[in-house]
Every structure is written in C-alpha cells, then in structure tokens.
C-alpha cells in the first residue's frame, strides 16, 4: 500500500491559494503540488495565462482559402511561454502557408538554422523533438492539420490505415449494385434471401405480383400463412387474323404436397400463355386454342420431373417425392365469345355489370367434393364441409392419372367481368353470388383496383392460402349478342 504524498507548502505556488500538507493538487488552480520542491516559492513559476484573467486573443492570420490549415492557429501564431517560463517553440512555415513537411510519423519536422528540416533521429522522430531542452522539457512540434484530415478520410474509407476498427465497421457499405435488406437498409442480401447484417428474410419477387394491361389485370399474393407463393399467372392481349382483339388470362396453383410446386405453376402459366399467343393470331378457334394451351402447360410441368436433381440436390431424393404438379384455369375473350378451360379446382366466374342479372360459376372442380355431388352421394353443402372436399382429382403433372382438359364456350348477352382465380380467393367467396358481391361495381373501368380488392378480401378473411386473381372485361360487339 502506498502512502499519501506530503509537502511543506502552505500556499499554492501557482495562485497562492492556501493548501494543506496532504494536498497533492491545488483546489483552486489544479497545480501539481507534489512536483514543486519544498523550497520553491510562488514567484519561481510563471504560468502562461493567469487563472481568471481575461485573454485578449489576436485575430487569426490570413491564409490561402485552398490551404488545409485555413482558420487553424499554430503555437507560433500566439505569443506566450510554457510553465517553465520559456518561449513557446515556433513552427517553420512554408511559403504556401502550410506547415513544414511532416516527418516519418506524420509530425512536422523541426527546421535547422538554414530553414531546412533537420534529420530525423534513430527512432524516426525529428532530432529537435528528441533532445530535451534546458530544464528537462521536450520541445514539442505543433500538430499538423493535415494529419487530422487524413484521420477523417481514414474513417470515411473502410479499411484505411489509422481508422478505428469500430469506425471501419460502421463505415462499411455494400458495393454499388448490391441488393440491400428491406428491414435494416444496410446489409447485403445473400443467395438464400437473408440479410447478412440483421438476418431478416427478404420478400421474394413472387410474394406479391401485379400486372395490368388495358383489357386485363392480375394480382397474386403469398397470403398470410404460406412461406412462399406457389401461384402464377400469365396475361396478354393479341389480335385475331381479322384484326379483332383477343385477351387472355391463365392462372395456375401449385400443388403443395408435390415437390417444387412454385416451379410447376410458373412453367404451366408461361407455356399456356405462349401457346395462346401463337395459336390465336394464326386463326385457331379460341376453344381449340385453349385445349392446346392446357396440353402445352401439362408438357411443361411433366418436363420438370425429368430433372430429378435441380441445384445440386441428391439424385436419389426424387424417388421419394411426388412429381411437380399444379392446377390451371384460363379464359379468352375474343370475337364475342368467352372461352374457359381448366384442370383442377381453380375457377372462373361470370359477374355481369348489371348486378340485377345473375352471376355464374363457369367451371366445375376436379375435386373429391365435386365428384360426390355429381354422383348424387352428397349435396354441395355436405360435400364441401367434409375434410376431403379440396382433395383434387385432376392436375397437371407427370404423376397425373390422365390429362383431361375441360373447355367451354359462352356468348354472354350483356357486358360483365370474368373472374379467373385460385382457391385462395374463392374459399372466401365460394358461391357465384358471394363472388359478385365482392367484385367492385366499377371493376370494368378499374381492373387492377378490382383485382387488388379481391386479393384484399381473401387476406382480410385470413389469407390461409396463396391468392391469385385475373380480371377480364367482356363487352358486346356492335352487332349485338345472342343468348347466354
């Protein structure tokens, strides 16, 4: 244990404030009493600035505006002495207004008698800074303002020499073009879709999709319960050989119990859409074109099963998995006709603009419940209340029992809107009347808005499944219309 320092002073040598023998520092001016010899008297020390005395600072010297030292004062700019009574050292200034060149450690070198920098000592420090002056004090060179500028630059540039480690980490930003996290807006997103900074899972591109043309619009959403969107759609517009317009929409729903259902729905929608865009301008009847589009979609999904190990997966794993599969429903509005086609339980509805007219469901599900109703074994309410109701009996995929594309042609006698959707929507508006009540009255003029409202209805209802809907308006031809 060390002892408390003692001295024989009765007053502080710096300010004459009374002190006690056990005081180490003056309570008034902070003078180090232990450093003063016992025989010292207050007059032997001449502080540079007396405590409490106002200081009349001189105006800063004029400097070159382009100089880094502009508005920076150096010790040589101000008169004064150190605590030992010696004049403060002056810094040699170059003709351009900057301090003399820094030494090997970034400090300005002391100048010799001829104005040239003196040679550095053995340890790289200027010789003048190494040799102690009379009284034991070292002559300290003034700080170079360029050193402070370099330190700031080091913080701004990640990894720069001299930058603190924490500053380097804080200043680090992903390179240009890197996808940033939607949560923290700082971290880069890795190949798995997670932020490397905060770990937040990023929304996938298919989590929410919208597309609008002048005659058709579609919206697809992941919903509130699924980890990904396994639905897909394709919408387009083309022209028949006579120049009349044709609009089409395809909606597909991946079978979750199968492997890669999102790939299946995407492949099917893309293949069907391309087939229709090829067949309709060629003059193929719309109903025949729809049949061919479903067959093309089935072939595209079947082809996925021929690639058993995508992305480096185990080549044997596919033997224990179901083949990729999906459902499909599509609609074509062309030449005064409304054509629908489907396989599975995705549906199409007809909603007339005049809501006093009855709406209708245009498709029949390939499902266990529909089979029970068709066979007369249950009524519709009983069948859809059963837990097996939504088990599909028809789908696109390599392990489908048999491909049976369903197509139907209608000729409405009044304008309306065709709703093409997956069960993620119609589960919350199953009957045609329920669907008609959800479709906004101005949908024909605001297709995208109408699709957004329908998806919102499903999400408000719980969003238990992916939700996809496409809307096509049907208008009467100038010649009039026949019977529905």
């Amino acid at each position: 244990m060390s002892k408390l320092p003692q001295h024989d002073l009765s007053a502080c040598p710096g300010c004459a404030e009374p002190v006690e023998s056990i005081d180490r520092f003056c309570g008034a001016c902070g003078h180090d009493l232990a450093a003063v010899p016992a025989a010292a008297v207050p007059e032997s020390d001449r502080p540079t600035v007396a405590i409490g005395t106002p200081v009349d600072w001189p105006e800063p010297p004029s400097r070159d505006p382009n100089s880094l030292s502009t508005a920076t004062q150096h010790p040589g700019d101000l008169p004064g002495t150190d605590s030992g009574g010696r004049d403060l050292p002056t810094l040699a200034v170059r003709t351009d207004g900057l301090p003399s060149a820094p030494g090997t450690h970034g400090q300005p070198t002391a100048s010799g008698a001829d104005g040239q920098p003196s040679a550095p000592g053995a340890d790289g420090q200027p010789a003048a800074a190494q040799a102690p002056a009379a009284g034991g004090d070292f002559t300290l060179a003034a700080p170079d303002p360029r050193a402070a500028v370099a330190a700031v630059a080091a913080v701004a540039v990640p990894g720069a020499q001299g930058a603190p480690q924490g500053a380097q980490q804080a200043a680090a930003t992903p390179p240009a073009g890197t996808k940033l996290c939607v949560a923290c807006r700082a971290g880069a997103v890795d190949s798995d879709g997670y932020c490397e900074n905060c770990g937040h899972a990023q929304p996938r591109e298919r989590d929410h999709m919208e597309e609008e043309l002048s005659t058709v619009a579609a919206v697809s959403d992941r919903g509130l319960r699924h980890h990904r969107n396994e639905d897909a759609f394709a919408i387009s517009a083309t022209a028949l050989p006579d120049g009349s317009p044709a609009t089409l929409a395809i909606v597909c729903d991946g079978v979750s119990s199968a492997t890669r259902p999102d790939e299946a729905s995407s492949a099917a929608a893309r293949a069907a859409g391309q087939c229709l865009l090829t067949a309709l301008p060629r003059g193929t009847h719309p109903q025949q074109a729809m049949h061919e589009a479903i067959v093309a979609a089935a072939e595209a999904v079947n082809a996925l099963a021929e690639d058993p190990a995508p992305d480096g997966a185990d080549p044997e794993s596919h033997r224990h998995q179901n083949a990729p599969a999906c459902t499909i429903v599509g609609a074509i509005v062309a030449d005064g006709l409304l054509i629908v086609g489907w396989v599975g339980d995705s549906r199409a509805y007809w909603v007339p603009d005049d809501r006093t007219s009855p709406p209708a469901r245009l498709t029949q599900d390939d499902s266990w419940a529909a089979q029970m109703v068709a066979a007369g074994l249950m009524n519709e309410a009983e069948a859809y209340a059963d837990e097996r109701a939504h088990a599909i009996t028809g789908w696109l995929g390599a392990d489908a029992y048999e491909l049976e594309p369903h197509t139907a042609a209608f000729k409405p006698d009044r304008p309306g809107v065709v709703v093409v959707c997956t069960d993620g929507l119609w589960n919350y508006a199953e009957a045609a009347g329920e669907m008609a009540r959800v479709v906004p009255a101005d949908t024909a003029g605001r297709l995208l808005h109408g699709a957004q409202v329908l998806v919102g209805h499903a999400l408000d209802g719980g969003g238990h499944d992916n939700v996809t809907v496409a809307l096509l308006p049907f208008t009467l031809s100038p010649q009039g219309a026949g019977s529905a």
Side-chain angles (χ1 to χ4, degrees):
M1 178 179 293
S2 61
K3 297 181 180 179
L4 293 175
Q6 295 186 352
H7 55 79
D8 297 329
L9 299 177
S10 61
C12 172
C15 65
E17 182 73 14
V19 296
E20 297 181 3
S21 61
I22 62 172
D23 291 339
R24 182 171 180 175
F25 298 94
C26 175
C29 69
H31 196 92
D32 187 355
L33 303 177
V36 180
V41 293
E43 289 73 18
S44 64
D45 183 76
R46 293 177 293 167
T48 304
V49 180
I51 300 299
T53 302
V55 180
D56 184 16
W57 298 104
E59 292 295 327
S62 59
R63 296 186 182 275
D64 182 359
N66 297 323
S67 170
L68 290 176
S69 60
T70 298
T72 301
Q73 292 196 343
H74 304 287
D77 297 334
L78 300 176
T81 60
D82 62 14
S83 59
R86 293 173 294 276
D87 290 337
L88 293 173
T90 59
L91 178 66
V93 179
R94 303 187 321 194
T95 57
D96 59 359
L98 286 175
S100 58
T104 56
H105 286 268
Q107 295 295 335
T109 58
S111 299
D114 58 356
Q116 297 297 323
S118 60
D123 62 352
Q125 294 291 343
Q130 296 172 353
D137 289 340
F138 284 86
T139 302
L140 302 178
D144 185 354
R146 291 173 294 184
V149 174
V152 173
V155 173
V157 179
Q161 184 178 4
Q165 182 177 5
Q168 293 182 22
Q169 295 175 353
T173 55
T178 301
K179 182 179 180 182
L180 295 180
C181 173
V182 299
C184 69
R185 302 302 302 166
V189 179
D190 61 21
S191 58
D192 294 329
Y194 291 87
C195 175
E196 295 177 345
N197 179 49
C198 67
H200 189 89
Q202 305 301 296
R204 297 178 176 87
E205 182 180 358
R206 289 179 59 176
D207 281 358
H208 186 87
M209 301 179 291
E210 296 184 357
E211 187 175 351
E212 181 182 29
L213 303 177
S214 59
T215 55
V216 60
V219 175
S220 181
D221 192 89
R222 177 171 60 92
L224 305 180
R225 302 295 182 89
H226 281 234
H227 71 284
R228 65 182 175 187
N229 190 358
E230 298 170 357
D231 288 357
F233 67 81
I235 61 174
S236 190
T238 186
L240 301 179
D242 61 0
S244 59
T247 305
L248 59 99
I250 300 291
V251 170
C252 298
D253 183 357
V255 178
S256 297
S257 59
T259 183
R260 296 148 60 197
D262 54 332
E263 295 181 33
S265 62
S266 179
R270 184 169 54 252
Q274 288 296 328
C275 184
L276 289 175
L277 287 177
T278 301
L280 292 175
R282 197 171 53 206
T284 305
H285 189 279
Q287 190 168 357
Q288 177 62 29
M290 178 62 74
H291 180 95
E292 294 175 358
I294 295 176
V295 172
E299 293 174 350
V301 178
N302 292 348
L304 296 177
E306 299 174 3
D307 182 14
D311 300 330
D314 181 6
E316 298 298 323
S317 63
H318 73 287
R319 300 181 184 276
H320 309 287
Q321 298 175 341
N322 294 329
C326 69
T327 67
I328 186 171
V329 63
I332 302 172
V333 173
D335 196 24
L337 293 176
L338 168 57
I339 310 296
V340 295
W342 73 97
V343 173
D345 62 349
S346 293
R347 295 181 176 179
Y349 292 83
W350 162 255
V351 179
D353 291 346
D354 180 5
R355 298 304 169 86
T356 61
S357 302
R361 197 177 94 193
L362 307 178
T363 58
Q364 186 68 39
D365 297 345
D366 288 321
S367 67
W368 181 89
Q371 284 191 343
M372 293 299 102
V373 174
L377 301 177
M378 293 182 178
N379 60 39
E380 191 165 333
E382 294 172 339
Y384 281 98
D386 193 283
E387 61 181 8
R388 298 165 289 181
H390 291 279
I392 58 176
T393 58
W395 62 88
L396 305 183
D399 58 357
Y401 300 122
E402 184 179 358
L403 178 61
E404 296 183 3
H406 310 292
T407 62
F410 304 89
K411 194 170 185 179
D413 60 353
R414 64 204 69 194
V417 175
V418 184
V419 180
V420 184
C421 64
T422 61
D423 60 345
L425 171 60
W426 66 253
N427 276 332
Y428 300 99
E430 185 172 344
E434 294 175 338
M435 184 64 72
R437 284 191 293 271
V438 178
V439 175
D442 61 348
T443 293
R446 303 175 63 192
L447 293 174
L448 182 59
H449 173 261
Q452 293 168 338
V453 169
L454 292 176
V455 170
H457 174 77
L459 298 180
D460 291 342
H464 288 72
D465 200 354
N466 306 145
V467 189
T468 302
V469 59
L471 299 177
L472 302 86
F474 180 91
T475 56
L476 294 178
S477 59
Q479 297 91 333
S483 58

